[in-house]
Amino acid sequence: MCDNYQVPGTPCMDSLHEECGVIGVYDFAGNNVASDIYYGLFALQHRGQESCGIAVSDTKGPKRKVDSYKDMGLVNEVFNPENLGKLQGDIGVGHVRYSTAGASVRENAQPLVLNYVKGTLGLAHNGNLINAAELRQELERTGAIFQTTIDSEVIAYHIARERLSSKTVEEAVVRAVRKIKGAYSLVVMSPRKLIGARDPFGFKPLVIGKRENTYILVSESCALETIGAEYIRDVHPGEVVTISPEGGIQSDTTLCMSKEKTARCIFEYIYFARLDSHIDGVSVYNSRIKAGKFLALDSPADADLVVGVPESGNAAALGYAMESGIPYGVAFMKNGYVGRTFIKPKQSSRADGVRVKLNAIKEAVNGKRIIIIDDSIVRGTTSGRIVTMLKEAGAAQVHMRISSPPFLWPCYFGTDIPKREHLIAYNHSMEEIREKLGADSLAYLKVERLEELVDGLSICKGCFTGKYPMEPPKEDIRGECFDQ
Amino acid sequence: MCDNYQVPGTPCMDSLHEECGVIGVYDFAGNNVASDIYYGLFALQHRGQESCGIAVSDTKGPKRKVDSYKDMGLVNEVFNPENLGKLQGDIGVGHVRYSTAGASVRENAQPLVLNYVKGTLGLAHNGNLINAAELRQELERTGAIFQTTIDSEVIAYHIARERLSSKTVEEAVVRAVRKIKGAYSLVVMSPRKLIGARDPFGFKPLVIGKRENTYILVSESCALETIGAEYIRDVHPGEVVTISPEGGIQSDTTLCMSKEKTARCIFEYIYFARLDSHIDGVSVYNSRIKAGKFLALDSPADADLVVGVPESGNAAALGYAMESGIPYGVAFMKNGYVGRTFIKPKQSSRADGVRVKLNAIKEAVNGKRIIIIDDSIVRGTTSGRIVTMLKEAGAAQVHMRISSPPFLWPCYFGTDIPKREHLIAYNHSMEEIREKLGADSLAYLKVERLEELVDGLSICKGCFTGKYPMEPPKEDIRGECFDQ
Amino acid sequence: MCDNYQVPGTPCMDSLHEECGVIGVYDFAGNNVASDIYYGLFALQHRGQESCGIAVSDTKGPKRKVDSYKDMGLVNEVFNPENLGKLQGDIGVGHVRYSTAGASVRENAQPLVLNYVKGTLGLAHNGNLINAAELRQELERTGAIFQTTIDSEVIAYHIARERLSSKTVEEAVVRAVRKIKGAYSLVVMSPRKLIGARDPFGFKPLVIGKRENTYILVSESCALETIGAEYIRDVHPGEVVTISPEGGIQSDTTLCMSKEKTARCIFEYIYFARLDSHIDGVSVYNSRIKAGKFLALDSPADADLVVGVPESGNAAALGYAMESGIPYGVAFMKNGYVGRTFIKPKQSSRADGVRVKLNAIKEAVNGKRIIIIDDSIVRGTTSGRIVTMLKEAGAAQVHMRISSPPFLWPCYFGTDIPKREHLIAYNHSMEEIREKLGADSLAYLKVERLEELVDGLSICKGCFTGKYPMEPPKEDIRGECFDQ
Amino acid sequence: MCDNYQVPGTPCMDSLHEECGVIGVYDFAGNNVASDIYYGLFALQHRGQESCGIAVSDTKGPKRKVDSYKDMGLVNEVFNPENLGKLQGDIGVGHVRYSTAGASVRENAQPLVLNYVKGTLGLAHNGNLINAAELRQELERTGAIFQTTIDSEVIAYHIARERLSSKTVEEAVVRAVRKIKGAYSLVVMSPRKLIGARDPFGFKPLVIGKRENTYILVSESCALETIGAEYIRDVHPGEVVTISPEGGIQSDTTLCMSKEKTARCIFEYIYFARLDSHIDGVSVYNSRIKAGKFLALDSPADADLVVGVPESGNAAALGYAMESGIPYGVAFMKNGYVGRTFIKPKQSSRADGVRVKLNAIKEAVNGKRIIIIDDSIVRGTTSGRIVTMLKEAGAAQVHMRISSPPFLWPCYFGTDIPKREHLIAYNHSMEEIREKLGADSLAYLKVERLEELVDGLSICKGCFTGKYPMEPPKEDIRGECFDQ
């Protein structure tokens, strides 16, 4: 979906800004958890390549002590045996972050670590609050100071204030999240407890895992397999779970709504999450296969080969091939080494940014009528380049199929869709888009198919329909964002 | 093929040691070439992730001036706008390197830059000389000193010595390469000329490209497309080409042998080279598709799904699916972020090194009879883990197919195959291997099929047959290697 | 005074922990101030070698925008042309920090930058609050969260809260500092104003300078000369000055007390401040010369040579020589290259940590009766090594003179004197100390001389007398310190 | 002497280019020597701040194995516990380097490590060969290749060639150094022996030390004290010493000349060497004290205070004070934190490069007639700034005294004196210089005094007199230097 074509380690300026991954680990047997968090963050790296961090604490040690380390960069750039070895504790939280450039500074890396009335808190947050600016102003009007521009700080403030009149930290968390609106999957570490919270709509995923005496809260189930843990269940939309040796897993469901009101971000299934993860019982792999199948059913094309834009289009392409009977193939070689610090070609250079990352395989393409599947189109620039490369490689026809409906509306809950005027689907007809891309045909997944992708789960499809599960803010919240 | 499962940026200790990529660029119009070399090295990164370097010179400037920079790390780790900007010149060479750990030191990074009787030379070399130790000793016996343990230094010495009695630098190169035995694709930059040489057997690839006034010599054709250049032709086995504004591309073929005597490394097609490259007119993609087709023909299996071990097994899996009519699918999610500095899990950790990098997708696998294609088996450790993961994910059967014949003999020409006693195929029967891996069936590509993969080109298959295109050294040369 | 012998860049574990340097610059003409802050911080580097930082803002730009950069390390390690070049603004603050190891983390680096109800604040603080823990608890009891363990955060909170009911930011600063007790020299940057505050006792220095349209607030006058500015005057103890284009320098003196109640830290004159600075009209150079003269008058010795422990003892040695008529000389070569990252010799090593940094010059010392001047003795370890080195170099006698009285009491205001039980003077008689050091005689500056050093200025001498200008906390505040 | 005013870590572009420090350590008891070399290099850091390196080898291990690490930067920047810990061996050599910018590249860092006919060699060299270019050309004409532009490589080649017809490595060294002309103090490590060589004139220092079973060869005696070793003796001019467990210290004196022909670089005493070192039995401290005394005798001035330009002028100032009876004082505060990576003020900046590093102390200077001593004047720029600062600080008169004669001729032996046309003394009369500097009087040390400084040792004073101990090259060798 990203016009700059997203490659490992390259925060795409035209893509998803508050996408993040969170993890919390608590080993009741008292062993160090930093290593588990490290490998867990690896498994979540696709959710954020800008910065990462780990904070750990010793539940048997002094109440005011947290060791943390965070910095800009990938997990394997930020952590080394030395700094990882200094993180000693049996409870901890971790975070990987992706954001827009404006706030891409070390100060905004997570987890947020702080002292408050009852000791320390560590917070890692995935999602986007729609009333964050409002809440900030409210807090500021009572004298609060903010040292970052991330929502976690707003949430932390509310927990700290609610803690004053709450019996337990989990009660404070429940009362705090009652005040925040929007998307959040939250992992909180207090001196003795690990707490997870998921917003009532369930926009963002959060699952519970276990390995012997160790409990894990993490954005995606794939991370559980990486660290050898067993999947227990998803945190329910609206649920706050508290993990402690005394209580095991305790659940507060006062914020939970009826199933029909929940609204998972459908883009987790279409693009964000890893193929080997499950969210709320639905396999991401299956969703993408289905998306491809629906495209084959609804928008067939007479062709010789089905290919995906690697990697995100491959699973849907497989589904399309299954349904249509047209052979699946590979059309592009992707260069996986183009990382975060890659020097982009200047205008003057004859090297082409897209071609450095992606190159068509002539033998696979030449003379063929190709169906190519991508997960989305935003501005259309990369898609156009891809069609051109296929044609230059000798493709007789190029039929583009998109495994999501057209983007027409902003997202207020964490997906960084550009302003409407930049969305190609907003100000062009389908036929105009096709012509701009140079494709022989073009089709998107039908909006009606979305629920089917996820076995009837209740989802948010606001970016396609403009109908949001909750009242969106009046103005585009992205403009108000402090740009510290 | 690598038991530690090779991922981007991870030099696999059990894999190919003197695999490297080379590039030379000469812009007759006098523009800087460092940027082209940089993007070219990106396209060659899969050939070596240990160290890289660029050396440039100004053909209009003083004869004794070369700017170079090299270091351990990936291209995008080593180079930044500052150090790249300092490399000013219209002629240059570049190198990416992969080697065994012993000699993995900054001193061994290439290109080699040196002063000799006629000014400066820059050398980048891919391959392995079988008489390097001998030549070193010979040179030492005349008072030579060596500051590295790389073959390039031996070659450089011979060029320097031959230059004394040669009219031109290219003549010196021709006379020098006459003395060296083994595999080499060589790019040499003199103060005014760019020279490429490929050994008479053509073990390693080397192609010529052009973009307006700029000439390129590079290991693989994919790099030409990255930098927007046109493929001209392959350097012929045994050919020395000299590029200069006066002479254009000049060719010396005195070392060339008859076509039948040439002996390309078949592993370039099977594993090393990028899918979108051509070597000597044969598409790497086509070779791998064919390998899969032959496996389907020769070693069919009754199954529901064909999958590849990502990424290197995917193309052969596609070929197998085409031929067999069994659907192609995906069984594994690969974590592309596990880079060079990844901290390997300790024994004590519950995280599993293979699973961090590769995870089975249950939905794709469960209940299915799976044919899985890998490019090779060395020790068998990783292959065994892969079978286990598939079974744990619910695969009803696992049929392993290998797109190359069994490794039985050492390679003396650049492929780092471990000692015979570590090769699972050397000391186990096919049935024993199958059992060790836990697969339901196992088959390798037949040796007889190899020539067919490459349209009848003459190849080296010594590692499978023990029959080498030239007399191998008496002892395993790897033991003699200085370990400075 | 430091038993680990303090050298450039080496935070001495046995020395002064909240010693810091602060600077604020405001260019009314709108030019960038980052470069001035950078050179100013160089001139303050002796006040803190652990971390440093710069924050700048554009008074004509958006109200919520601050660029900042801070990290562990020396000024010339942390800043480079690239990150300095990104700091664009006409108003800014800077900080160098020295602290005990426990809190020596990046999170605690200054300046503190934050958002509050009226936009942004940047704070840089030198000193130590004695009611910080109390104030933190109070704030926490109203729901505050803390992300650092530095006093600046407590001060910032108070400013933010007071701002709610204050007409101007400077009024808020005045009201905030009314609540804090202890030592502080504070520089605050608001979106449009630069504010400086000095505690009513004037423990820590702060001066005002000017260069054309640029106003500077900085810890020491020497920094003004470095950046080519003119000294205007010292901020008065208890004064809050506000600098803005509309008001020039405005002063609030509501917290000022009578001159006799002020209590400058005498150690600024004896050790902390740079020789070429003036504090409250008194030259640091003159103070140290006087200290030496008083030692000569009060504790004469029959000797051939007066030397200082470099560098901090040299000026007093010069004063001693002047008064006594005994020639001044040099006895030690100091290795100025032993920096922050110096690897300390292990016990097993024959290298001696003190001797690596300091070596006696035999020719200067041999056969001579030496008077050696140091600024202080804490544990006595280094002083003992120094006497030993002189004797080994052939000194006939070693008479040690200390240019301050014996440390007997803790400091609550920023000087990191170890617990009393570690102070050699606390649990040993003068004669015992002399014997432990191996000196032939030993004398300290008399407490009665201290006021004379500074021309009768009112000073704090609590560490010598146990009589503090304000009621100290009941317990040693150092134990309560959060150790995050 | 340096117009950019030399501070720690700042390679001064206008100063001494091939000044270096060398060390070799051999522990017969088999213990690791890397740590001793590390501390030894600290003690030599003043001899070169550009790059440094250590190479070690295990005399009991394989003959072809050397561990080495070298890089640009100070000793404490380049080495850390990790890379130092990897240097395992009982014999080793180390080097600190200072050079002109042109060749300031990592490739030129020393020690040079190489393989040759008899295993490995490690070389560290201090000095400048006057026939290096000639020897390079000669070697190149026989087919040699050069990978650096340092003289060590030329020396190494000769050792390697001579080794072919020599019985021992030390014989090869003796025969090799016979061919090289110029200044060299050389430390060579072979697989089993440590060898030191000093050129027949003894331009550069080299001493022998011992600590139990450990033998040390090092540029300056101060390093012996740092590592707790005992001074044995200086290597004699022209001597080659060989250290081995079998032979202890063996000496070859075939190149030694009569004492009168030797020609130590007088600048070692005046400026290069550390105050606490001895060279050929003469104390550096004593030499500088004498220089000051001679200035007082020969060029008295009626004044109130004698001061040195810190640090290099201080000892001579002390000598002047002793002789004249005028009190010694301090006039400048020097900022020791201005390191290698210091960002120099731009022209546009109001910060002044000299003043950042050096600031006058008004109280010490005001109203006084000052005699200021510097070690030399090259271009005169810094000296002029110093006089100006003193006058601005209120000095009534400034009498400049220089502890060396005027520079009038080039140095061919390692001291980087700029071309004659840039030498202020070359094209100005004494009175013109005085006027340019703005001093009230000016005097240099008389050439006739030089021998007296060093107790009658035979010295080289070519830079003052144009009379060199050996025939200088016809052209300025600096122009011919390859600038790779």
Side-chain angles (χ1 to χ4, degrees), chain B residues 266-267 406-411 415 417 423 460-468:
Chain B
I266 188 65
F267 243 79
F407 278 130
L408 293 167
W409 299 89
C411 174
T415 303
I417 298 169
L423 295 171
C460 173
K461 38 193 178 183
C463 50
F464 311 124
T465 64
K467 289 179 191 153
Y468 302 98

Side-chain angles (χ1 to χ4, degrees), chain C residues 204-257:
Chain C
K204 300 292 166 190
L206 190 65
V207 303
I208 311 174
K210 186 171 185 295
R211 193 191 62 216
E212 297 167 32
N213 292 306
T214 302
Y215 286 79
I216 299 108
L217 288 169
V218 67
S219 291
E220 289 190 34
S221 62
C222 66
L224 296 175
E225 299 179 31
T226 297
I227 60 177
E230 199 187 341
Y231 166 83
I232 301 293
R233 64 169 176 90
D234 286 66
V235 175
H236 303 304
E239 187 184 12
V240 175
V241 297
T242 305
I243 296 173
S244 67
E246 303 76 32
I249 303 173
Q250 285 178 310
S251 167
D252 180 298
T253 57
T254 52
L255 274 77
C256 294
M257 306 185 298

Side-chain angles (χ1 to χ4, degrees), chain A residues 285-441:
Chain A
Y285 170 83
N286 277 345
S287 305
R288 293 189 195 165
I289 292 289
K290 275 190 198 172
K293 287 183 174 176
F294 293 144
L295 282 170
L297 285 169
D298 300 339
S299 310
D302 204 10
D304 307 308
L305 198 69
V306 185
V307 303
V309 175
E311 319 260 330
S312 55
N314 286 349
L318 215 47
Y320 196 104
M322 288 176 188
E323 185 63 38
S324 65
I326 302 169
Y328 175 90
V330 58
F332 287 102
M333 179 68 210
K334 184 182 159 186
N335 189 337
Y337 296 102
V338 183
R340 202 172 52 94
T341 51
F342 173 72
I343 305 171
K344 292 208 181 109
K346 289 185 202 161
Q347 289 291 23
S348 63
S349 169
R350 254 79 56 108
D352 163 354
V354 177
R355 205 183 278 278
V356 168
K357 297 167 196 166
L358 216 55
N359 194 26
I361 301 167
K362 281 205 187 72
E363 284 65 30
V365 166
N366 193 22
K368 301 251 175 65
R369 295 167 302 164
I370 309 270
I371 296 167
I372 179 146
I373 318 277
D374 203 352
D375 58 276
S376 57
I377 301 179
V378 182
R379 287 182 168 86
T381 333
T382 299
S383 304
R385 289 285 299 118
I386 282 168
V387 174
T388 307
M389 281 197 279
L390 287 174
K391 295 258 168 150
E392 286 173 3
Q397 294 177 9
V398 177
H399 302 277
M400 183 158 268
R401 296 293 176 270
I402 305 301
S403 62
S404 63
F407 278 129
L408 293 167
W409 300 89
C411 175
Y412 301 99
F413 307 103
T415 304
D416 183 27
I417 300 169
K419 300 203 166 183
R420 296 185 71 177
E421 47 272 33
H422 299 132
L423 295 172
I424 192 169
Y426 173 70
N427 45 23
H428 294 84
S429 71
M430 193 68 56
E431 174 55 20
E432 285 169 348
I433 302 173
R434 187 202 59 72
E435 207 184 315
K436 269 187 99 108
L437 302 185
D440 294 284
S441 77

Side-chain angles (χ1 to χ4, degrees), chain A residues 22-33:
Chain A
V22 300
I23 184 168
V25 180
Y26 192 169
D27 186 337
F28 293 172
N31 299 306
N32 281 331
V33 296

Side-chain angles (χ1 to χ4, degrees), chain D residues 75-227:
Chain D
V75 175
N76 75 351
E77 291 169 347
V78 167
F79 290 99
N80 54 51
E82 202 194 335
N83 59 25
L84 195 61
K86 285 186 187 155
L87 301 175
Q88 296 284 322
D90 54 1
I91 188 169
V93 291
H95 192 269
V96 291
R97 180 171 189 248
Y98 175 72
S99 82
T100 52
S104 177
V105 292
R106 199 163 62 195
E107 283 73 18
N108 281 344
Q110 299 199 40
L112 192 72
V113 175
L114 54 93
N115 275 290
Y116 81 125
V117 70
K118 294 291 185 183
T120 56
L121 283 184
L123 278 92
H125 167 237
N126 170 208
N128 200 58
L129 305 190
I130 61 171
N131 65 339
E134 222 173 288
L135 293 173
R136 266 172 191 272
Q137 282 166 23
E138 247 177 58
L139 286 164
E140 285 181 357
R141 271 185 229 112
T142 65
I145 61 175
F146 288 93
Q147 298 177 46
T148 75
T149 56
I150 51 175
D151 290 352
S152 311
E153 204 178 6
V154 175
I155 303 173
Y157 253 114
H158 279 93
I159 297 175
R161 299 209 167 181
E162 296 297 341
R163 187 67 182 91
L164 301 174
S165 56
S166 301
K167 277 189 208 143
T168 60
V169 60
E170 56 265 38
E171 189 187 325
V173 171
V174 171
R175 288 162 67 166
V177 295
R178 218 170 263 174
K179 309 219 163 157
I180 62 179
K181 284 188 207 163
Y184 54 88
S185 277
L186 193 64
V187 175
V188 179
M189 158 183 81
S190 82
R192 307 281 182 264
K193 290 171 184 168
L194 183 65
I195 300 165
R198 198 172 167 202
D199 69 72
F201 297 96
F203 283 108
K204 299 292 165 190
L206 190 64
V207 304
I208 312 175
K210 186 170 184 296
R211 194 194 58 217
E212 296 167 31
N213 291 307
T214 302
Y215 286 79
I216 299 106
L217 289 168
V218 67
S219 292
E220 290 189 34
S221 62
C222 67
L224 296 176
E225 301 180 31
T226 296
I227 59 176

Side-chain angles (χ1 to χ4, degrees), chain B residues 29 76 108 111 125-126 128 137 146-147 185-186 188 303 369 395 423:
Chain B
N76 76 350
N108 280 344
H125 167 237
N126 170 209
N128 201 57
Q137 282 166 23
F146 288 93
Q147 299 177 46
S185 277
L186 193 65
V188 179
R369 294 166 302 163
L423 295 171

Side-chain angles (χ1 to χ4, degrees), chain A residues 1-295:
Chain A
M1 65 168 296
C2 165
D3 285 336
N4 292 323
Y5 195 71
Q6 186 155 18
V7 290
T10 316
C12 167
M13 299 315 302
D14 183 20
S15 190
L16 320 157
H17 79 138
E18 277 299 346
E19 201 46 35
C20 295
V22 300
I23 184 168
V25 180
Y26 192 169
D27 186 337
F28 293 172
N31 299 306
N32 281 331
V33 296
S35 164
D36 279 331
I37 297 175
Y38 174 78
Y39 294 111
L41 290 180
F42 259 119
L44 301 177
Q45 185 80 79
H46 61 286
R47 297 185 71 84
Q49 297 97 39
E50 181 194 277
S51 68
C52 59
I54 297 176
V56 300
S57 166
D58 183 357
T59 61
K60 277 93 189 170
K63 221 177 162 183
R64 292 270 184 191
K65 180 89 173 63
V66 169
D67 292 327
S68 76
Y69 194 82
K70 44 190 180 176
D71 210 339
M72 308 304 289
L74 298 175
V75 175
N76 76 349
E77 292 169 347
V78 167
F79 290 98
N80 54 50
E82 201 194 336
N83 59 25
L84 194 62
K86 285 186 187 157
L87 300 176
Q88 298 283 324
D90 52 2
I91 189 169
V93 291
H95 193 268
V96 292
R97 179 171 189 249
Y98 174 72
S99 81
T100 51
S104 177
V105 292
R106 201 163 60 194
E107 282 73 18
N108 280 343
Q110 298 201 37
L112 192 73
V113 175
L114 54 91
N115 275 290
Y116 80 126
V117 69
K118 293 291 183 180
T120 56
L121 283 184
L123 277 92
H125 167 238
N126 169 209
N128 200 57
L129 304 189
I130 60 171
N131 65 339
E134 222 172 288
L135 293 173
R136 267 174 191 271
Q137 282 167 22
E138 249 177 56
L139 286 164
E140 285 181 359
R141 271 185 229 113
T142 66
I145 61 176
F146 288 92
Q147 299 178 46
T148 76
T149 57
I150 51 175
D151 290 351
S152 312
E153 204 178 6
V154 175
I155 302 173
Y157 252 116
H158 277 94
I159 297 174
R161 297 210 169 181
E162 295 299 338
R163 187 68 182 90
L164 301 174
S165 56
S166 303
K167 278 187 205 142
T168 60
V169 60
E170 56 266 37
E171 189 188 325
V173 171
V174 171
R175 289 161 68 165
V177 294
R178 219 170 262 174
K179 308 219 164 159
I180 62 180
K181 283 187 209 166
Y184 54 86
S185 278
L186 193 64
V187 176
V188 180
M189 159 183 81
S190 83
R192 307 282 182 264
K193 289 171 186 167
L194 183 65
I195 300 166
R198 197 172 167 202
D199 68 72
F201 297 96
F203 283 108
K204 300 291 167 191
L206 191 64
V207 303
I208 312 175
K210 185 170 185 296
R211 195 191 60 214
E212 295 167 32
N213 292 306
T214 302
Y215 286 79
I216 299 108
L217 289 169
V218 67
S219 291
E220 289 189 33
S221 62
C222 66
L224 295 176
E225 301 180 30
T226 296
I227 60 177
E230 199 187 340
Y231 166 81
I232 302 292
R233 66 170 177 88
D234 286 67
V235 175
H236 302 304
E239 189 185 10
V240 175
V241 297
T242 306
I243 295 172
S244 66
E246 302 77 33
I249 304 173
Q250 285 178 310
S251 167
D252 181 299
T253 57
T254 53
L255 274 78
C256 294
M257 306 185 297
S258 64
K259 276 193 182 177
E260 309 78 53
K261 289 198 173 168
T262 58
R264 284 145 199 89
C265 172
I266 189 65
F267 244 79
E268 289 284 342
Y269 295 92
I270 293 172
Y271 174 80
F272 295 147
R274 231 172 74 169
L275 211 51
D276 53 339
S277 287
H278 298 74
I279 305 173
D280 290 329
V282 173
S283 150
V284 172
Y285 170 83
N286 277 345
S287 305
R288 293 189 195 165
I289 292 289
K290 275 190 198 172
K293 287 183 174 176
F294 293 144
L295 282 170

